[in-house]
């Protein structure tokens, strides 16, 4: 009774939380646009009267459009007058041929009543919750003030109080240590460190353990693996040829940024606009490779401008998903079907990325060359020479004599016989440009035409420059540089104009647009620069309602298996609502203002919370009421990622290499997966420690990704993926039983187990090394039975033992221990974080 009384009192004091408020409003007969009306419009009306189609010239996506007269001259919604609103007349019409929605059943009585009440109230069009700036509510009162360990726990327990549920007990120390280690560094802890922590598991020792994990260089590797999905990082260009690309410096930059705990606003700025910062460093330029991860198409007959536009489109879509949790891609061809983004909004975003120097060329220029220390001075001098020669050619082409020659050349280009002499990669774009009157060309078109002319001109001065440039480039390449593709803004005289592309077709330009952001999301740019740097500042501006929310939700998802907003890629009206918006907003404001965009303090706060530290064991009432753990009445339990499963197995097997950073590596994979007819590239399996590097260093080929990673739901990295979906298939068990990495890990674990002299202790040791706890007698008995059966088998078939161990001279006992180790590494408990 006392608990019930406390709960009731806390609800009154808190003023009733969001859900309770909604129930109260419904009880009173009030109507809420977002809760009651918007879902009706989206589900019943938007297909014909939304952002894609506006039948009868009526759109219900924006209020100003919905209040305009339709094609018939009638007004669908007359604020304050439901009886005078054509919408009400049509949704209640007795004739099914005239009744809306067409081709569907009639709206329910409750839906019709909600629309009438809403119009009677004046048809207010409240913003979707995600487009309102987050506000940190005061910590709510809770039934047990001793349970929360920090602020976030207050919100969780208050929610459980409202649901008449209790939190779970704290997880066992060894479970919690493994959970924290896997979450923060992607690897299990050492058995010795767990035993030391669990000898006296105090709050201060848990905090010290978290600090130790956060300071580990493995931290950056674990979190970079998450970010590389968003960055669509790969070591190849994509499409059919899928040539190799040297972009691993970007991956190393991401690892370093996480390890240095770079504030997320700076992390954002350097990736989107590092080249636009004053006196940009090499690291800041490398950071911009985030958007050079777009695919590049070198196939014969492709159109450079088409694929350049495709890259810009990919950059727009990726930016909005990563930082705004918004499916802006819907607005590429038309207005967004459900969210308040117009077709023009898409191309205003497009304009931010439309003036970079890359344009789908084989050499992937612009690149940042980097050299070995003993070659750096020579390499930089050569690169400077190449840039100077390019500038000389540009100046020369602008002289009156060569301007006249270029204009004559343009006339010849239109002759089919001459046009056919162009390189395939330039032909389409040159022919498009020369058909445009010179006065109507933008700066980029003029510069590109001058460049192509200079490349083919027989003027001796230009020929001499080309020869010297080729010699300098050959000399530079002889120094074996690392050429990282980077972003580079076009200079003022070379800039492109941006147009709305009708239906998304790059050949169908509509009106010209300038860089800008949708009015529906946060503040306008104001005095910010109308370029990528201004966009980056806008994304991390205190008034932007989405970035902090989307980011903390992503980290929450990594730790709990599901975000507070489950659809982490879509915070829009069709996405899942937050399971606890008050908690999400509190975390967002704390991350932005309290932690000043720093990730490590955010993660530490979460992993030290009482919410995170709960046991993951479920209870009958939770199975029925909350199977996905949305109420957080227990700790997280879900399967590890592809990278974590492989890394953990190698770590427990004593094989994982501590070598960090550097070019991507090729561990063993099945033969015949690579078939590269263009240049003979081959997968050459490493025979040294590179075969045991962490999974994020594995060479990633887009058309043939590492197979075991794909089996465990890794994306192909052709496009940005904000949320991996976990599957459970028999193929996954076949990988962990038979893949060379897992077999070698098992033999490695068996070797560690063999250090114990007694069989029972050996089996216990293997289990402890893998799962950090002592097995019970039943488990030991099962492992003993498996071991004895395996010994009998390998004594009979010695060749099978040799094949398993990969060497001659191994005993049946050694092979049997490997079988036991393999079984341990395939336990559900080992493949799961719990």
């Amino acid at each position: 009774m006392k608990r019930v009384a406390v709960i009731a009192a806390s609800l009154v004091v808190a003023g009733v939380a969001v859900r309770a408020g909604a129930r109260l409003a419904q009880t009173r007969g009030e109507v809420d646009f977002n809760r009651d009306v918007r879902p009706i419009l989206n589900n019943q009306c938007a297909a014909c009267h939304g952002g894609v189609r506006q039948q009868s010239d009526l759109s219900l996506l924006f209020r100003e459009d919905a209040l305009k007269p339709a094609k018939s001259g009638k007004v669908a919604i007359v604020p304050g007058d439901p009886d005078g609103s054509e919408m009400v007349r049509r949704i209640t019409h007795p004739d099914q041929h005239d009744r809306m929605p067409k081709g569907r059943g009639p709206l329910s009585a409750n839906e019709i009543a909600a629309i009438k009440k809403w119009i009677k109230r004046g048809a207010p069009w409240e913003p979707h919750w995600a487009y309102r700036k987050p506000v940190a509510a005061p910590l709510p009162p809770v039934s047990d003030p001793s349970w929360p360990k920090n602020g976030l726990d207050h919100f969780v327990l208050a929610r459980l109080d409202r649901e008449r549920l209790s939190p779970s007990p704290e997880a066992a120390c060894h479970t919690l240590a493994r959970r924290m280690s896997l979450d923060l560094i992607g690897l299990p802890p050492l058995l010795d460190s767990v035993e030391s922590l669990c000898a006296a598991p105090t709050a201060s020792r848990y905090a010290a353990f978290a600090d130790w994990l956060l300071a580990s260089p493995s931290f950056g590797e674990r979190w970079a693996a998450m970010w590389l999905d968003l960055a669509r990082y790969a070591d190849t260009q994509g499409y059919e040829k899928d040539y190799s690309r040297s972009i691993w410096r970007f991956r190393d930059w991401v690892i370093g940024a996480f390890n240095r705990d770079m504030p997320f606003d700076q992390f954002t700025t350097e990736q989107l606009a590092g080249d636009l910062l004053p006196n940009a460093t090499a690291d800041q330029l490398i950071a911009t490779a985030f958007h050079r991860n777009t695919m590049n198409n070198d196939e014969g007959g492709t159109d450079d401008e088409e694929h350049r536009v495709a890259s810009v489109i990919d950059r727009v879509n990726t930016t909005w998903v990563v930082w705004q949790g918004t499916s802006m891609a819907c607005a590429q061809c038309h207005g967004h079907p459900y969210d308040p983004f117009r077709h023009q909004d898409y191309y205003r975003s497009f304009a931010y990325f439309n003036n970079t120097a890359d344009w789908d060329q084989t050499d992937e220029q612009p690149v940042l060359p980097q050299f070995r220390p003993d070659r750096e001075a020579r390499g930089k001098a050569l690169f400077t020479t190449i840039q100077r020669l390019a500038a000389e050619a540009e100046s020369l082409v602008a002289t009156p004599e060569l301007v006249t020659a270029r204009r004559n050349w343009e006339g010849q280009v239109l002759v089919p016989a001459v046009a056919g002499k162009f390189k395939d990669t330039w032909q389409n774009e040159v022919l498009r440009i020369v058909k445009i009157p010179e006065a109507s060309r933008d700066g980029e078109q003029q510069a590109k035409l001058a460049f192509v002319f200079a490349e083919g001109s027989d003027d001796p001065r230009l020929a001499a420059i080309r020869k010297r440039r080729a010699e300098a480039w050959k000399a530079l390449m002889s120094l074996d540089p690392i050429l990282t593709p980077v972003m580079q803004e076009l200079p003022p005289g070379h800039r492109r104009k941006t147009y709305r592309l009708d239906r998304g077709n790059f050949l169908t330009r509509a009106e010209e647009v300038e860089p800008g952001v949708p009015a529906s999301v946060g503040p306008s740019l104001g005095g910010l620069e109308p370029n990528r740097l201004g966009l980056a500042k806008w994304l991390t501006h205190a008034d932007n309602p989405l970035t902090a929310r989307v980011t903390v939700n992503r980290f929450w998802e990594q730790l709990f298996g599901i975000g507070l907003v489950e659809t982490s890629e879509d915070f829009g009206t069709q996405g899942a609502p937050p399971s606890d918006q008050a908690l999400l907003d509190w975390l967002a404001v704390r991350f932005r203002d309290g932690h000043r965009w720093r990730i490590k303090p955010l993660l530490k706060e979460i992993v030290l919370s009482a919410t995170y530290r709960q046991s993951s064991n479920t209870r009958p009432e939770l199975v029925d009421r909350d199977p996905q753990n949305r109420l957080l009445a227990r700790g997280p339990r879900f399967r590890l990622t592809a990278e974590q499963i492989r890394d953990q197995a190698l770590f427990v097997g004593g094989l994982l290499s501590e070598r960090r950073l550097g070019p991507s590596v090729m561990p063993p994979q099945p033969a015949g997966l690579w078939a590269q007819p263009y240049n003979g590239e081959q997968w050459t399996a490493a025979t040294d420690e590179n075969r045991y590097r962490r999974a994020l260093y594995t060479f990633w080929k887009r058309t043939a990704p590492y197979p075991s990673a794909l089996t465990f739901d890794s994306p192909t990295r052709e496009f940005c993926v904000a949320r991996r979906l976990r599957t459970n298939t028999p193929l996954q068990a076949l990988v962990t039983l038979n893949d060379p990495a897992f077999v070698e890990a098992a033999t490695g674990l068996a070797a560690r187990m063999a250090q114990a002299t007694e069989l029972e202790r050996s089996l216990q040791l293997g289990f402890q090394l893998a799962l950090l706890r002592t097995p019970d007698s039943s488990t030991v008995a099962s492992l003993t039975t498996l071991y004895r059966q395996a010994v009998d088998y390998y004594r009979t078939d010695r060749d099978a033992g040799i094949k398993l161990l990969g060497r001659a001279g191994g005993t049946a006992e050694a092979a049997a221990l490997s079988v036991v180790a393999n079984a341990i590494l395939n336990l559900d408990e080992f493949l799961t974080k719990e």
Side-chain angles (χ1 to χ4, degrees):
M1 290 297 295
K2 180 179 179 181
R3 177 179 171 81
V4 172
V6 171
I7 293 170
S10 68
L11 288 177
V12 173
V13 172
V16 190
V18 175
R19 179 174 291 185
R23 286 197 289 260
L24 182 60
Q26 289 174 320
T27 301
R28 293 174 175 172
E30 297 176 5
V31 64
D32 178 86
F33 175 74
N34 283 316
R35 185 193 67 229
D36 304 316
V37 178
R38 192 191 294 274
I40 301 173
L41 300 183
N42 281 355
N43 297 331
Q44 302 287 355
C45 310
C48 296
H49 304 290
V52 181
R53 303 168 69 193
Q54 293 90 42
Q55 289 191 357
S56 300
D57 293 339
L58 172 63
S59 172
L60 299 176
L61 191 60
F62 294 92
R63 188 175 193 269
E64 59 267 29
D65 294 342
L67 303 186
K68 294 176 181 177
K71 187 176 182 179
S72 64
K74 298 177 181 178
V75 178
I77 298 172
V78 180
D81 184 8
D83 292 336
S85 299
E86 182 67 8
M87 170 186 276
V88 173
R89 190 183 76 83
R90 296 300 294 274
I91 63 177
T92 58
H93 202 288
D95 188 337
Q96 64 176 346
H97 298 292
D98 290 329
R99 186 179 59 232
M100 293 293 177
K102 283 285 185 72
R104 300 187 184 188
L107 298 185
S108 68
N110 287 339
E111 289 174 322
I112 293 171
I115 290 176
K116 286 182 175 181
K117 289 178 182 178
W118 169 65
I119 295 176
K120 184 71 174 178
R121 282 184 53 211
W125 222 277
E126 291 97 349
H128 180 55
W129 70 266
Y131 307 142
R132 295 170 173 165
K133 182 179 175 180
V135 176
L139 299 184
V142 293
S143 59
D144 182 3
S146 67
W147 187 79
K149 297 185 184 300
N150 56 40
L152 73 89
D153 291 329
H154 284 265
F155 292 94
V156 173
L157 185 54
R159 175 70 182 279
L160 292 177
D161 287 344
R162 295 195 296 273
E163 299 289 341
R164 303 295 195 270
L165 291 172
S166 299
S168 296
E170 184 166 292
C173 179
H174 71 271
T175 299
L176 187 53
R178 180 173 181 264
R179 181 190 297 175
M180 289 175 63
S181 188
L182 286 168
D183 275 339
L184 294 182
I185 66 172
L187 298 171
L190 293 169
L191 180 58
D192 290 347
S193 65
V194 174
E195 291 176 342
S196 175
L197 171 67
C198 295
T202 63
S204 61
R205 298 191 74 179
Y206 273 129
F209 184 65
D211 286 336
W212 179 75
L213 294 170
L214 291 166
S216 168
S218 296
F219 173 85
E221 294 173 319
R222 181 266 185 266
W223 291 99
M226 173 201 74
W227 193 257
L228 296 185
D229 280 359
L230 299 167
R232 63 269 194 245
Y233 171 85
D235 294 293
T236 59
Q237 296 176 345
Y239 295 107
E240 184 185 9
K241 286 188 177 181
D242 205 18
Y243 283 158
S244 294
R245 159 187 283 170
S246 179
I247 202 166
W248 56 266
R249 289 273 192 186
F250 169 74
R251 180 245 292 142
D252 288 0
W253 179 88
V254 174
I255 294 171
F258 276 113
N259 277 335
R260 295 191 302 275
D261 200 19
M262 179 182 289
F264 190 76
D265 54 348
Q266 180 183 348
F267 186 71
T268 296
T269 297
E270 294 195 8
Q271 289 180 89
L272 293 182
D275 58 307
L276 298 178
L277 294 172
N279 303 311
T281 65
D283 272 359
Q284 289 169 335
L285 293 176
I286 289 171
T288 68
F290 175 88
H291 270 325
R292 292 303 308 278
N293 277 308
T294 47
M295 295 192 291
N296 198 54
N297 198 338
D298 291 338
E299 296 169 26
T302 58
D303 190 302
D304 286 334
E305 179 63 7
E306 179 182 12
H307 286 281
R308 187 197 68 80
V309 169
S311 291
V312 177
I313 287 170
D314 177 70
R315 289 164 188 166
V316 174
N317 298 344
T318 297
T319 300
W320 277 91
V321 166
V322 172
W323 278 277
Q324 301 290 272
T326 298
S327 56
M328 183 60 83
C330 295
Q332 176 189 336
C333 300
H334 43 66
H336 198 289
Y338 307 106
D339 293 332
F341 304 120
R342 298 185 184 275
H343 193 25
Q344 291 87 343
D345 287 332
Y346 187 91
Y347 289 97
R348 295 176 73 202
S349 294
F350 185 99
Y352 287 113
F353 300 100
N354 197 34
N355 273 296
T356 57
D358 56 291
W359 56 297
D360 200 57
Q361 293 299 291
T362 305
D363 59 11
E364 296 206 284
Q365 293 284 352
V367 295
L368 175 68
Q370 293 175 293
F371 308 87
R372 282 178 11 193
D374 59 325
R375 300 175 179 177
E376 186 171 6
R378 172 65 174 156
K380 287 185 175 180
L382 286 168
F383 191 64
T384 299
T385 297
I386 292 168
Q387 292 178 310
R388 177 176 53 78
L389 289 170
E392 286 182 15
E394 183 178 342
S395 297
L396 188 58
V397 171
T399 61
E401 177 186 354
L402 288 182
V403 166
T404 300
R406 176 183 54 78
R407 287 170 176 163
N408 292 335
W409 167 80
E410 288 181 25
Q412 295 174 353
V413 165
L414 295 173
V415 178
V418 177
K421 296 179 181 180
F422 280 100
K423 295 180 181 179
D424 287 342
T425 56
W426 294 340
Q427 184 176 16
N428 292 331
E429 185 65 1
V430 167
L431 290 175
R432 269 197 297 269
I433 295 172
V434 297
K435 293 176 182 178
I436 301 172
E438 187 169 350
S440 300
R441 298 170 190 163
D442 62 29
E444 189 271 343
Q445 291 169 333
Q446 294 172 359
K448 185 177 290 183
L449 208 57
F451 169 76
V452 175
F453 167 73
E455 288 297 289
S457 172
D458 56 5
D459 183 274
R461 294 166 295 178
L462 289 172
I465 290 175
R466 290 197 302 269
K467 180 180 178 182
R468 290 160 56 199
R469 189 187 64 199
E471 291 170 349
W473 187 256
K474 182 178 179 181
L476 183 144
M477 294 304 293
S478 71
L479 301 178
D480 194 24
I482 300 165
L483 302 176
T484 304
V486 295
M487 297 287 270
Q488 178 181 310
E489 198 80 349
L490 291 172
H494 293 194
R495 296 183 67 77
R496 301 180 182 93
K497 293 181 180 179
T498 300
Y499 302 88
R500 179 176 62 83
L501 303 181
D502 190 35
R503 306 299 296 175
N505 186 339
F506 82 108
L507 294 175
T508 310
R509 295 178 170 181
E511 72 278 3
E512 185 177 351
V513 297
E514 296 294 331
V517 295
S520 55
V521 180
S524 66
L525 278 174
L528 298 177
E529 305 92 327
N531 57 20
R532 287 177 285 118
L533 184 57
L535 177 63
K537 292 177 181 178
W538 177 80
L539 289 171
T540 54
H541 193 282
D543 290 335
N544 186 297
L546 283 166
T547 303
R549 279 181 174 133
V550 168
T551 305
V552 297
N553 187 70
R554 183 165 292 124
F555 286 110
W556 188 275
E557 176 189 70
Q558 291 289 310
L559 300 181
F560 286 89
I562 187 170
L564 293 167
V565 175
E566 181 177 1
T567 53
S568 52
E569 72 285 357
D570 187 3
F571 274 51
T573 60
Q574 294 298 94
S579 59
D580 191 331
Q581 187 182 340
L583 172 58
L584 175 64
D585 288 356
W586 185 87
L587 285 168
V589 173
R590 184 151 177 79
F591 175 52
R592 186 193 66 210
D593 299 341
H595 298 314
R596 297 189 179 277
W597 295 105
R598 292 192 178 274
I599 294 165
K600 288 186 178 183
L602 170 70
L603 294 176
K604 181 179 179 180
E605 189 164 28
I606 295 175
V607 301
L608 293 181
S609 68
T611 302
Y612 177 86
R613 289 164 61 170
Q614 294 176 95
S615 167
S616 64
N617 294 334
T618 192
R619 312 193 296 270
E621 66 268 27
L622 296 183
V623 172
D624 293 335
R625 291 182 58 184
D626 189 24
Q628 287 191 298
N629 196 30
R630 308 299 284 136
L631 299 175
L632 300 168
R634 60 178 176 84
R637 186 182 191 279
F638 54 92
R639 200 202 63 215
L640 300 173
T641 66
E643 293 88 348
Q644 290 171 331
I645 288 172
R646 183 177 183 275
D647 291 349
Q648 179 184 223
L650 293 175
F651 180 87
V652 170
L655 299 178
L656 187 68
S657 170
E658 293 187 357
R659 185 177 177 184
R660 306 182 192 281
L661 312 179
S664 298
V665 298
M666 295 182 177
Q669 73 170 5
L673 291 184
W674 271 33
Q676 181 53 276
Y678 296 102
N679 61 4
E681 290 181 341
Q682 295 183 349
W683 184 278
T684 304
T687 56
D688 57 7
E689 69 170 318
N690 281 333
R691 70 192 285 126
Y692 306 124
R693 298 279 301 280
R694 289 195 71 163
L696 88 161
Y697 295 116
T698 299
F699 189 96
W700 198 260
K701 187 177 180 68
R702 282 177 160 128
T703 55
Y706 196 63
S708 65
L710 282 188
T711 304
F712 281 100
D713 308 317
S714 177
T716 63
R717 301 262 179 82
E718 293 170 286
F719 303 101
C720 167
V721 172
R723 176 170 55 123
R724 292 188 188 183
L725 300 179
R726 287 182 291 273
T727 62
N728 189 357
T729 71
L731 286 176
Q732 293 164 352
L734 292 175
V735 167
T736 52
L737 285 169
N738 301 299
D739 184 276
F742 292 90
V743 173
E744 290 186 64
T747 57
L749 176 57
R752 300 180 72 187
M753 295 164 63
Q755 295 173 10
T757 55
E758 298 180 357
L759 175 60
E760 182 174 345
R761 177 57 192 142
S762 177
L763 300 178
Q764 288 176 339
L765 177 61
F767 194 91
Q768 285 178 300
L769 289 170
L771 297 170
L772 306 172
R773 68 178 178 87
T774 303
D776 57 29
S777 58
S778 174
T779 300
V780 173
S782 297
L783 296 177
T784 302
T785 300
L786 175 61
Y787 171 80
R788 297 198 185 285
Q789 291 174 342
V791 167
D792 292 341
Y793 174 78
Y794 287 116
R795 283 175 178 168
T796 303
D797 191 342
R798 295 179 59 85
D799 289 341
I802 293 172
K803 184 177 181 180
L804 174 63
L805 297 174
R807 66 181 189 277
T811 64
E813 289 75 11
L817 270 185
S818 294
V819 170
V820 173
N822 190 292
I824 292 173
L825 298 184
N826 275 274
L827 291 173
D828 181 67
E829 186 178 347
F830 184 75
L831 302 175
T832 301
K833 185 195 76 173
E834 57 180 19

